[in-house]
Amino acid sequence: MENKQINELEKLELEKNKLLLSAENVIGFTSTITFLSSVLGAAFVECSDLVKAVFIVSGTTIFVTGISFALKIEQKAGYYKCSKCEHTYVPEKYSKVFFAPHMGKTRYMGCPECGEKSWQKKVLIKKQK
């Protein structure tokens, strides 16, 4: 019975993390499109310099805010798995994720368990041992 409950909890966690990471993608995509649209609008639409500045500042504000929220979701949803020791963890600080080079959902970070830096892939659930 206990295994059934664990499997059910893992399934719920998997669905929650998938939903959050999908929301992250939507937020990131929407804020990027808004930014690009506002910059291109400012560049190609005939209007005063003040209106162009408002377009650019508004688009940049939306972009920075959206990407910040998306990155916070990426930090908290799911886990990162160390490629050296296979430890899975959630980075305790936002700055660890923010400043880490990345390719998609894989980031180059230091593992809190082994202390080694490596490319750590995002995984959706933490397997029970």
Side-chain angles (χ1 to χ4, degrees), residues 16-60:
K16 177 196 79 150
N17 287 333
K18 279 183 181 180
L19 184 64
L20 284 171
L21 292 173
S22 293
E24 174 200 7
N25 289 335
V26 169
I27 292 168
F29 181 75
T30 304
S31 59
T32 301
I33 293 300
T34 303
F35 171 72
L36 293 174
S37 298
S38 65
V39 169
L40 290 173
F44 295 111
V45 172
E46 287 292 324
C47 55
S48 70
D49 288 344
L50 178 62
V51 172
K52 289 181 181 191
V54 169
F55 268 115
I56 292 170
V57 169
S58 299
T60 302

Side-chain angles (χ1 to χ4, degrees), residues 83-103:
S83 62
K84 303 279 185 179
C85 69
E86 297 194 359
H87 175 66
T88 53
Y89 67 99
V90 174
E92 64 181 64
K93 292 185 178 180
Y94 176 81
S95 61
K96 298 284 186 191
V97 177
F98 183 82
F99 291 112
H102 70 283
M103 291 185 296

